[in-house]
Amino acid sequence: MTDHEPERSLHLVIVSGLSGSGKTQALKCLEDLGFFCVDNLPPALFLSFAEVCGQRSHTVRKIALCIDVREREFLLDFFENLERLQASVSVVELLYLEANDVVLTRRFSESRRPHPLLPRQPVHEGIRLERERLGELRSRADRVLDTSELTVHELRDWMVQQYGDRDHRHSMKVSVMTFGYKFGVPFEADLVFDVRFLQNPHFVPELKPLTGNETNIQQYVLENKEAQGFLEHMKHFFAFLFPLFERERRSYLTIAIGCTGGRHRSVAIANKVKDLFALLGYEATLSHRDMDRSEY
């Protein structure tokens, strides 16, 4: 990308504002919405960073930068670099977050942190100075959001409404993983299902070397009433559960399905569960932690 060839495929959001107003939470929301996020990138690197992302526009099309403007020197070249960026990238938005002094003071008190601008003085002095220094930045913002009356969940809802991809029916990311109990239960799992009650291909010599991704194993595991009943219960369970998790603003859910070695039964079931989730409107990712371990 050059000055003569502006990058047209990038959407860049710059998040800034007062300390304690929710900038970090806003950046986390944008990351959950598929933005490539960078915290506190120096303004002098704005354009170079956009150029690198532009060269990878097939994979990086949405970028978010969180700018923490604490030093006077930082502000000196901010607007010059912002204008260069706006001339080269088709969509550049400056989102400014703020809150009233009472709320900001309370938030600093609850976190037991000093104000970063004046750490050795009362919090209200730091708030006053920061609000003064950021006056011009606020005046040039494309969106100004007062978070005084917003909970963390309400801020997330606002970010999803403004920046979410409306083509996605559901925002919660669902991951399905398989594992072997002999290797330990995954620490990252939110929900764990044990399918060791199903008939085990491990004890059938011609099936033992195969995995649950292969047709012979899937037929052996799935074509019995226990497996079919389990999958039917799973469908109804998650049809009930997913909307409740989304109501609580869950951004991701990891579901682990385990059998003894993580090679046969759990893999066959997980493949079917992924298909069931698709019928419910949730596109899940699938991974097999222990399927290729040699100890089977």
Side-chain angles (χ1 to χ4, degrees):
M1 182 176 66
T2 67
D3 292 339
H4 302 291
E5 298 176 349
E7 173 53 57
R8 297 300 180 186
S9 63
L10 294 179
H11 177 189
L12 193 150
V13 177
I14 299 176
V15 181
S16 191
L18 299 174
S19 300
S21 62
K23 300 190 301 295
T24 299
Q25 184 62 36
L27 192 69
K28 290 180 180 177
C29 293
L30 290 170
E31 186 172 25
D32 289 341
L33 293 171
F35 282 75
F36 182 79
C37 297
V38 178
D39 194 4
N40 222 15
L41 185 72
L45 299 179
F46 282 178
L47 193 56
S48 297
F49 179 71
E51 288 176 349
V52 172
C53 292
Q55 294 166 4
R56 299 174 56 87
S57 60
H58 60 292
T59 56
V60 180
R61 298 191 178 184
K62 299 190 295 183
I63 308 167
L65 307 177
C66 188
I67 305 302
D68 191 352
V69 188
R70 299 179 188 176
E71 302 295 335
R72 292 184 183 276
E73 292 77 10
F74 195 95
L75 275 173
L76 292 176
D77 62 348
F78 177 83
F79 296 111
E80 177 183 350
N81 284 284
L82 177 62
E83 289 168 359
R84 293 173 60 203
L85 189 64
Q86 290 170 330
S88 300
V89 177
S90 59
V91 181
V92 179
E93 298 182 51
L94 177 56
L95 170 63
Y96 185 92
L97 272 59
E98 63 181 6
N100 64 53
D101 289 3
V102 173
V103 169
L104 291 175
T105 301
R106 186 187 73 237
R107 290 175 181 172
F108 275 104
S109 176
E110 290 172 348
S111 66
R112 299 182 180 180
R113 293 173 52 237
H115 194 282
L117 202 57
L118 295 174
R120 293 182 176 81
Q121 296 189 33
V123 167
H124 69 270
E125 292 294 336
I127 294 172
R128 179 196 58 77
L129 179 60
E130 187 175 35
R131 198 183 295 277
E132 177 184 309
R133 287 190 180 180
L134 296 180
E136 184 179 358
L137 184 66
R138 183 188 188 281
S139 68
R140 297 182 61 166
D142 299 290
R143 302 175 193 258
V144 176
L145 176 64
D146 189 328
T147 67
S148 300
E149 303 299 324
L150 298 182
T151 66
V152 171
H153 297 316
E154 290 168 338
L155 173 59
R156 176 178 175 78
D157 287 345
W158 187 89
M159 296 295 294
V160 170
Q161 182 180 7
Q162 300 299 320
Y163 300 104
D165 185 349
R166 291 170 176 78
D167 292 334
H168 291 297
R169 180 179 170 188
H170 301 289
S171 60
M172 185 173 67
K173 296 179 175 63
V174 180
S175 300
V176 179
M177 66 181 303
T178 65
F179 70 97
Y181 275 93
K182 66 190 296 184
F183 303 114
V185 177
F187 71 90
E188 65 268 39
D190 298 302
L191 297 172
V192 177
F193 293 89
D194 185 346
V195 296
R196 288 177 291 182
F197 62 89
L198 297 175
Q199 58 185 5
N200 193 350
H202 176 82
F203 299 108
V204 180
E206 63 269 25
L207 298 180
K208 181 178 177 180
L210 306 178
T211 74
N213 283 330
E214 297 176 76
T215 303
N216 290 351
I217 297 294
Q218 293 174 359
Q219 290 176 343
Y220 184 88
V221 172
L222 300 176
E223 292 181 358
N224 65 76
K225 63 179 182 180
E226 288 84 6
Q228 293 170 14
F230 176 76
L231 290 169
E232 186 67 17
H233 284 300
M234 288 278 280
K235 181 177 72 174
H236 293 297
F237 177 65
F238 282 105
F240 167 77
L241 196 61
F242 280 158
L244 299 182
F245 276 129
E246 287 200 309
R247 188 181 69 186
E248 294 303 309
R249 284 89 170 184
R250 286 292 295 265
S251 58
Y252 63 89
L253 182 69
T254 301
I255 300 162
I257 301 174
C259 60
T260 304
R263 182 177 180 83
H264 298 122
R265 293 168 289 178
S266 60
V267 175
I269 288 291
N271 278 289
K272 196 65 176 178
V273 166
K274 182 176 183 292
D275 293 339
L276 291 179
F277 289 171
L279 293 176
L280 295 175
Y282 294 82
E283 201 64 40
T285 60
L286 181 59
S287 62
H288 305 297
R289 192 191 72 177
D290 303 322
M291 185 180 70
D292 296 322
R293 291 213 183 189
S294 59
E295 303 175 46
Y296 62 86

Short mmCIF file of all heavy atoms in Angstrom, two decimals, residues 127-158:
data_model
loop_
_atom_site.label_atom_id
_atom_site.label_comp_id
_atom_site.label_asym_id
_atom_site.label_seq_id
_atom_site.Cartn_x
_atom_site.Cartn_y
_atom_site.Cartn_z
N ILE A 127 -7.91 12.50 37.05
CA ILE A 127 -9.07 12.51 36.15
C ILE A 127 -9.21 13.88 35.48
O ILE A 127 -9.43 13.99 34.28
CB ILE A 127 -10.35 12.15 36.92
CG1 ILE A 127 -10.28 10.70 37.42
CG2 ILE A 127 -11.59 12.36 36.05
CD1 ILE A 127 -11.41 10.32 38.35
N ARG A 128 -9.07 14.95 36.30
CA ARG A 128 -9.20 16.31 35.77
C ARG A 128 -8.14 16.60 34.71
O ARG A 128 -8.45 17.11 33.63
CB ARG A 128 -9.08 17.32 36.92
CG ARG A 128 -9.17 18.79 36.46
CD ARG A 128 -8.67 19.72 37.54
NE ARG A 128 -7.30 19.44 37.94
CZ ARG A 128 -6.24 19.79 37.22
NH1 ARG A 128 -6.39 20.41 36.05
NH2 ARG A 128 -5.02 19.50 37.65
N LEU A 129 -6.89 16.21 34.99
CA LEU A 129 -5.80 16.48 34.06
C LEU A 129 -5.97 15.67 32.77
O LEU A 129 -5.77 16.20 31.67
CB LEU A 129 -4.46 16.16 34.71
CG LEU A 129 -3.21 16.36 33.84
CD1 LEU A 129 -3.10 17.81 33.39
CD2 LEU A 129 -1.95 15.94 34.60
N GLU A 130 -6.36 14.41 32.91
CA GLU A 130 -6.52 13.57 31.72
C GLU A 130 -7.67 14.08 30.85
O GLU A 130 -7.58 14.12 29.63
CB GLU A 130 -6.76 12.12 32.12
CG GLU A 130 -6.76 11.16 30.93
CD GLU A 130 -6.87 9.71 31.34
OE1 GLU A 130 -7.57 9.43 32.34
OE2 GLU A 130 -6.26 8.86 30.68
N ARG A 131 -8.76 14.48 31.48
CA ARG A 131 -9.90 15.00 30.71
C ARG A 131 -9.50 16.27 29.96
O ARG A 131 -9.91 16.49 28.82
CB ARG A 131 -11.07 15.29 31.67
CG ARG A 131 -12.42 15.43 30.96
CD ARG A 131 -13.52 15.78 31.94
NE ARG A 131 -13.80 14.74 32.92
CZ ARG A 131 -14.58 13.69 32.69
NH1 ARG A 131 -15.15 13.54 31.50
NH2 ARG A 131 -14.80 12.80 33.65
N GLU A 132 -8.67 17.08 30.59
CA GLU A 132 -8.19 18.31 29.94
C GLU A 132 -7.29 17.99 28.75
O GLU A 132 -7.44 18.56 27.67
CB GLU A 132 -7.43 19.14 30.98
CG GLU A 132 -6.81 20.41 30.43
CD GLU A 132 -6.00 21.13 31.50
OE1 GLU A 132 -6.55 21.36 32.60
OE2 GLU A 132 -4.82 21.44 31.24
N ARG A 133 -6.35 17.07 28.94
CA ARG A 133 -5.42 16.73 27.86
C ARG A 133 -6.11 16.07 26.68
O ARG A 133 -5.68 16.21 25.53
CB ARG A 133 -4.33 15.79 28.40
CG ARG A 133 -3.32 16.46 29.30
CD ARG A 133 -2.17 15.53 29.59
NE ARG A 133 -1.17 16.13 30.45
CZ ARG A 133 -0.06 15.53 30.85
NH1 ARG A 133 0.17 14.28 30.45
NH2 ARG A 133 0.80 16.14 31.63
N LEU A 134 -7.18 15.34 26.95
CA LEU A 134 -7.84 14.59 25.88
C LEU A 134 -9.01 15.35 25.25
O LEU A 134 -9.76 14.79 24.47
CB LEU A 134 -8.35 13.25 26.42
CG LEU A 134 -7.28 12.27 26.90
CD1 LEU A 134 -7.92 10.99 27.41
CD2 LEU A 134 -6.30 11.96 25.78
N GLY A 135 -9.12 16.62 25.57
CA GLY A 135 -10.24 17.41 25.04
C GLY A 135 -10.31 17.43 23.52
O GLY A 135 -11.37 17.22 22.93
N GLU A 136 -9.18 17.67 22.87
CA GLU A 136 -9.17 17.71 21.40
C GLU A 136 -9.43 16.33 20.82
O GLU A 136 -10.15 16.19 19.81
CB GLU A 136 -7.83 18.24 20.88
CG GLU A 136 -7.81 18.39 19.36
CD GLU A 136 -6.51 18.95 18.83
OE1 GLU A 136 -5.61 19.26 19.64
OE2 GLU A 136 -6.38 19.06 17.59
N LEU A 137 -8.87 15.31 21.43
CA LEU A 137 -9.11 13.94 20.96
C LEU A 137 -10.60 13.62 21.01
O LEU A 137 -11.16 13.05 20.06
CB LEU A 137 -8.32 12.96 21.81
CG LEU A 137 -8.38 11.49 21.40
CD1 LEU A 137 -7.71 11.29 20.05
CD2 LEU A 137 -7.69 10.62 22.45
N ARG A 138 -11.25 13.99 22.09
CA ARG A 138 -12.69 13.75 22.21
C ARG A 138 -13.47 14.49 21.14
O ARG A 138 -14.42 13.96 20.55
CB ARG A 138 -13.18 14.17 23.60
CG ARG A 138 -14.67 13.88 23.85
CD ARG A 138 -15.12 14.50 25.16
NE ARG A 138 -16.45 14.08 25.51
CZ ARG A 138 -17.58 14.58 24.99
NH1 ARG A 138 -17.49 15.54 24.06
NH2 ARG A 138 -18.76 14.14 25.37
N SER A 139 -13.07 15.72 20.86
CA SER A 139 -13.80 16.53 19.89
C SER A 139 -13.70 15.98 18.48
O SER A 139 -14.56 16.25 17.63
CB SER A 139 -13.30 17.98 19.92
OG SER A 139 -11.96 18.05 19.41
N ARG A 140 -12.66 15.19 18.21
CA ARG A 140 -12.46 14.63 16.87
C ARG A 140 -12.93 13.19 16.75
O ARG A 140 -12.77 12.57 15.71
CB ARG A 140 -10.99 14.75 16.49
CG ARG A 140 -10.53 16.21 16.41
CD ARG A 140 -9.10 16.35 16.00
NE ARG A 140 -8.80 15.81 14.69
CZ ARG A 140 -7.68 16.04 14.01
NH1 ARG A 140 -6.78 16.86 14.53
NH2 ARG A 140 -7.46 15.50 12.85
N ALA A 141 -13.49 12.66 17.82
CA ALA A 141 -13.93 11.26 17.81
C ALA A 141 -15.16 11.08 16.92
O ALA A 141 -16.02 11.97 16.82
CB ALA A 141 -14.23 10.80 19.22
N ASP A 142 -15.25 9.92 16.29
CA ASP A 142 -16.43 9.58 15.49
C ASP A 142 -17.58 9.14 16.37
O ASP A 142 -18.75 9.36 16.04
CB ASP A 142 -16.08 8.46 14.50
CG ASP A 142 -14.99 8.87 13.53
OD1 ASP A 142 -15.26 9.71 12.67
OD2 ASP A 142 -13.86 8.35 13.65
N ARG A 143 -17.27 8.48 17.47
CA ARG A 143 -18.28 8.06 18.43
C ARG A 143 -17.76 8.37 19.83
O ARG A 143 -16.61 8.11 20.15
CB ARG A 143 -18.56 6.55 18.35
CG ARG A 143 -19.01 6.03 17.00
CD ARG A 143 -19.11 4.52 17.07
NE ARG A 143 -19.25 3.89 15.77
CZ ARG A 143 -20.39 3.43 15.28
NH1 ARG A 143 -21.51 3.55 15.98
NH2 ARG A 143 -20.44 2.86 14.09
N VAL A 144 -18.64 8.92 20.66
CA VAL A 144 -18.32 9.16 22.07
C VAL A 144 -19.33 8.38 22.89
O VAL A 144 -20.55 8.55 22.74
CB VAL A 144 -18.39 10.65 22.43
CG1 VAL A 144 -18.15 10.85 23.93
CG2 VAL A 144 -17.38 11.45 21.62
N LEU A 145 -18.82 7.50 23.75
CA LEU A 145 -19.70 6.65 24.56
C LEU A 145 -19.44 6.92 26.04
O LEU A 145 -18.32 6.77 26.52
CB LEU A 145 -19.46 5.17 24.26
CG LEU A 145 -20.27 4.18 25.12
CD1 LEU A 145 -21.76 4.33 24.85
CD2 LEU A 145 -19.81 2.75 24.85
N ASP A 146 -20.49 7.32 26.74
CA ASP A 146 -20.43 7.52 28.18
C ASP A 146 -20.80 6.19 28.85
O ASP A 146 -21.93 5.72 28.72
CB ASP A 146 -21.38 8.62 28.61
CG ASP A 146 -21.21 9.02 30.08
OD1 ASP A 146 -20.86 8.14 30.89
OD2 ASP A 146 -21.44 10.19 30.41
N THR A 147 -19.85 5.59 29.56
CA THR A 147 -20.07 4.28 30.17
C THR A 147 -20.50 4.38 31.64
O THR A 147 -20.53 3.37 32.34
CB THR A 147 -18.80 3.42 30.08
OG1 THR A 147 -17.77 4.01 30.90
CG2 THR A 147 -18.32 3.31 28.65
N SER A 148 -20.85 5.58 32.09
CA SER A 148 -21.16 5.78 33.51
C SER A 148 -22.25 4.84 34.02
O SER A 148 -22.17 4.31 35.12
CB SER A 148 -21.59 7.23 33.76
OG SER A 148 -20.57 8.13 33.40
N GLU A 149 -23.28 4.64 33.20
CA GLU A 149 -24.44 3.84 33.62
C GLU A 149 -24.41 2.42 33.04
O GLU A 149 -25.39 1.70 33.17
CB GLU A 149 -25.73 4.54 33.20
CG GLU A 149 -25.90 5.95 33.72
CD GLU A 149 -25.93 6.00 35.24
OE1 GLU A 149 -26.48 5.05 35.85
OE2 GLU A 149 -25.40 6.97 35.83
N LEU A 150 -23.31 2.04 32.40
CA LEU A 150 -23.25 0.74 31.74
C LEU A 150 -22.53 -0.29 32.60
O LEU A 150 -21.48 -0.01 33.18
CB LEU A 150 -22.52 0.84 30.40
CG LEU A 150 -23.15 1.76 29.33
CD1 LEU A 150 -22.32 1.69 28.06
CD2 LEU A 150 -24.58 1.37 29.05
N THR A 151 -23.09 -1.49 32.67
CA THR A 151 -22.35 -2.62 33.24
C THR A 151 -21.40 -3.16 32.18
O THR A 151 -21.47 -2.78 31.01
CB THR A 151 -23.31 -3.74 33.68
OG1 THR A 151 -23.95 -4.28 32.51
CG2 THR A 151 -24.37 -3.21 34.64
N VAL A 152 -20.52 -4.06 32.59
CA VAL A 152 -19.61 -4.70 31.63
C VAL A 152 -20.41 -5.41 30.55
O VAL A 152 -20.07 -5.35 29.35
CB VAL A 152 -18.67 -5.69 32.36
CG1 VAL A 152 -17.88 -6.50 31.35
CG2 VAL A 152 -17.73 -4.94 33.29
N HIS A 153 -21.50 -6.08 30.93
CA HIS A 153 -22.32 -6.80 29.96
C HIS A 153 -23.01 -5.84 28.99
O HIS A 153 -23.11 -6.12 27.79
CB HIS A 153 -23.37 -7.64 30.68
CG HIS A 153 -22.80 -8.72 31.53
ND1 HIS A 153 -21.76 -9.53 31.12
CD2 HIS A 153 -23.11 -9.14 32.79
CE1 HIS A 153 -21.46 -10.39 32.07
NE2 HIS A 153 -22.26 -10.16 33.10
N GLU A 154 -23.47 -4.71 29.50
CA GLU A 154 -24.14 -3.73 28.64
C GLU A 154 -23.16 -3.08 27.67
O GLU A 154 -23.52 -2.78 26.53
CB GLU A 154 -24.84 -2.68 29.50
CG GLU A 154 -26.06 -3.23 30.24
CD GLU A 154 -26.59 -2.29 31.30
OE1 GLU A 154 -25.82 -1.41 31.77
OE2 GLU A 154 -27.77 -2.42 31.67
N LEU A 155 -21.92 -2.86 28.13
CA LEU A 155 -20.90 -2.34 27.22
C LEU A 155 -20.64 -3.34 26.11
O LEU A 155 -20.54 -2.97 24.93
CB LEU A 155 -19.60 -2.06 27.98
CG LEU A 155 -18.39 -1.67 27.12
CD1 LEU A 155 -18.67 -0.42 26.29
CD2 LEU A 155 -17.15 -1.47 28.01
N ARG A 156 -20.55 -4.61 26.46
CA ARG A 156 -20.35 -5.63 25.43
C ARG A 156 -21.51 -5.65 24.44
O ARG A 156 -21.30 -5.74 23.22
CB ARG A 156 -20.20 -7.01 26.09
CG ARG A 156 -20.09 -8.12 25.06
CD ARG A 156 -19.88 -9.48 25.68
NE ARG A 156 -19.90 -10.50 24.65
CZ ARG A 156 -18.89 -10.76 23.83
NH1 ARG A 156 -17.76 -10.10 23.96
NH2 ARG A 156 -18.98 -11.70 22.91
N ASP A 157 -22.74 -5.56 24.93
CA ASP A 157 -23.90 -5.55 24.04
C ASP A 157 -23.83 -4.38 23.06
O ASP A 157 -24.15 -4.51 21.88
CB ASP A 157 -25.20 -5.47 24.85
CG ASP A 157 -25.51 -6.78 25.57
OD1 ASP A 157 -24.90 -7.81 25.21
OD2 ASP A 157 -26.36 -6.76 26.48
N TRP A 158 -23.40 -3.22 23.57
CA TRP A 158 -23.29 -2.03 22.70
C TRP A 158 -22.23 -2.26 21.63
O TRP A 158 -22.43 -1.92 20.46
CB TRP A 158 -22.94 -0.81 23.55
CG TRP A 158 -22.97 0.48 22.79
CD1 TRP A 158 -24.04 1.31 22.60
CD2 TRP A 158 -21.87 1.08 22.08
NE1 TRP A 158 -23.67 2.39 21.83
CE2 TRP A 158 -22.35 2.29 21.50
CE3 TRP A 158 -20.54 0.74 21.90
CZ2 TRP A 158 -21.54 3.13 20.75
CZ3 TRP A 158 -19.73 1.58 21.14
CH2 TRP A 158 -20.22 2.75 20.58
#
